[in-house]
Amino acid sequence: MVGGPGTFDALELGLLQALQLDGRAALSRIARRLGASERTVGRRYSRLRTLGLRVVGQPVPARLGMTRWLLRIHCAPDSVGSVAQALARRPDTSWISLASGGTELYCALTTSTPHERDALLLEKLPRTPSVVGVGAHCLLRLFTGITSTWYASGIPFGPAQRDEDGVPVPASERPGHPGPLTLDATDRALLTELARDGRAGLPELATATGRSPSSVQRHLERLRTQGALGFSVDFSPRHLGYDLMTHLWLRVAPGEVSAAGRALATHPETAFAAATTGPHNLVATGVFRGAHDLHHYLDHRIGSLPGIQAVETAPILREVKRLTAGT
């Protein structure tokens, strides 16, 4: 029996997991995997949507010749909200959070050209009077994959190479491709529509792109199989009792960054982990039930990672923008 808005049974947790493995999986296939009727799974999916569940299509920057950045922006106390909202309106920002003492913003964005990068980092932000300081960190390698958004309660919500049906999961930035994938007008239109609704049907996508459903299907399969498109499950971990999200900045000994990053990505608390430039060469976001769990994690899990020299924590006070992809 399903309880109130904050209560979830095994079927709903299984549905969230299945969507994390493949955001566009048909509800009929998910129902077969979960041993339930399609009608029942459809009702649970509708309930989760009323609680804010979204599946968002996101381009994979590394496959499209783009560069991902993580900004730490220090603002005057009375202007942090207006700066955050201005950044949230930009199509190149994917998420923005307010952390620390309420004067520091964390902003993830993607740039396609050096001109785009310089326009924001060297011109726009430095000329904003209420911005006190900016730290720009280039993300060098993602360890959790573009579609890892959160984990919970022992359920492995992270990326997988294939699901149990043998279907490839286009969640990671896959190595071995010869170069950036070139997009045409149909690809770009698809990415725009999927950023709004990652589960939009072929008829809707065909209408949006002006192409036939079969053409849309071919473009969609190409983007996925080439590792240029991933799908994120956006569902607040607070619904499951995880009330504390924290940015972690780690300084790791040279030669140990990849080992520490790979180990960090296996932790069920880790929603995001990447190697980065700057004084801290590994950055992560963790999801916890409360302060006690965070302390235990830092003391027992982070401390056991190879080569850890220092850790800085910055609890997230408010999420201003979540998982809005720009192309």
Side-chain angles (χ1 to χ4, degrees), residues 5-6 8 13 16 48-54 149-152 157 233-245 287-288 319 322-323:
F8 301 87
L13 292 175
L16 288 169
L48 293 176
R49 281 177 58 86
T50 65
L51 296 175
L53 171 67
R54 294 189 306 152
T149 50
W150 46 269
Y151 293 46
F157 284 97
V233 174
D234 183 11
F235 190 68
S236 174
R238 290 185 172 87
H239 287 312
L240 298 174
Y242 291 78
D243 295 320
L244 178 61
M245 297 180 64
V287 182
F288 308 93
E319 293 179 285
R322 293 168 56 99
L323 297 181

Side-chain angles (χ1 to χ4, degrees), residues 185-203:
T186 300
D187 294 324
R188 294 185 183 279
L190 271 177
L191 290 173
T192 298
E193 290 304 310
L194 292 170
R196 298 188 182 102
D197 180 5
R199 291 183 61 82
L202 289 180

Side-chain angles (χ1 to χ4, degrees), residues 115-267:
H115 174 74
E116 290 181 359
R117 175 198 65 200
D118 295 347
L120 178 64
L121 301 183
L122 300 181
E123 299 175 19
K124 183 68 174 179
L125 285 174
R127 294 176 182 173
T128 303
S130 53
V131 172
V132 178
V134 179
H137 308 274
C138 180
L139 299 187
L140 304 176
R141 178 183 175 187
L142 290 175
F143 294 106
T144 47
I146 193 171
T147 64
S148 294
T149 50
W150 46 269
Y151 293 46
S153 193
I155 303 293
F157 284 97
Q161 292 300 312
R162 294 176 179 269
D163 67 15
E164 65 184 23
D165 296 325
V167 178
V169 179
S172 62
E173 298 185 3
R174 300 168 184 169
H177 294 289
L181 187 68
T182 301
L183 302 180
D184 62 18
T186 300
D187 294 324
R188 294 185 183 279
L190 271 177
L191 290 173
T192 298
E193 290 304 310
L194 292 170
R196 298 188 182 102
D197 180 5
R199 291 183 61 82
L202 289 180
E204 293 89 341
L205 296 175
T207 299
T209 59
R211 303 296 296 270
S212 68
S214 60
S215 176
V216 167
Q217 181 66 37
R218 287 194 299 272
H219 280 265
L220 188 58
E221 290 178 356
R222 172 176 173 266
L223 290 172
R224 299 190 74 180
T225 57
Q226 290 292 314
L229 172 64
F231 292 89
S232 293
V233 174
D234 183 11
F235 190 68
S236 174
R238 290 185 172 87
H239 287 312
L240 298 174
Y242 291 78
D243 295 320
L244 178 61
M245 297 180 64
T246 304
H247 293 303
L248 303 172
W249 295 85
L250 296 88
R251 187 177 298 118
V252 185
E256 298 282 4
V257 176
S258 291
R262 288 192 298 268
L264 189 64
T266 66
H267 294 175

Side-chain angles (χ1 to χ4, degrees), residues 240-305:
L240 298 174
Y242 291 78
D243 295 320
L244 178 61
M245 297 180 64
T246 304
H247 293 303
L248 303 172
W249 295 85
L250 296 88
R251 187 177 298 118
V252 185
E256 298 282 4
V257 176
S258 291
R262 288 192 298 268
L264 189 64
T266 66
H267 294 175
E269 300 88 352
T270 303
F272 167 81
T276 183
T277 59
H280 298 87
N281 47 14
L282 190 61
V283 62
T285 302
V287 182
F288 308 93
R289 291 189 180 277
H292 180 270
D293 286 350
L294 173 59
H295 171 73
H296 185 272
Y297 179 72
L298 294 173
D299 201 25
H300 295 275
R301 303 297 298 277
I302 293 295
S304 66
L305 293 177

Side-chain angles (χ1 to χ4, degrees), residues 60-85:
V60 179
R63 284 293 292 122
L64 300 176
M66 301 174 177
T67 303
R68 298 188 75 189
W69 296 86
L70 182 60
L71 308 184
R72 300 182 73 173
I73 304 172
H74 293 268
C75 304
D78 60 349
S79 61
V80 64
S82 60
V83 173
Q85 291 302 323

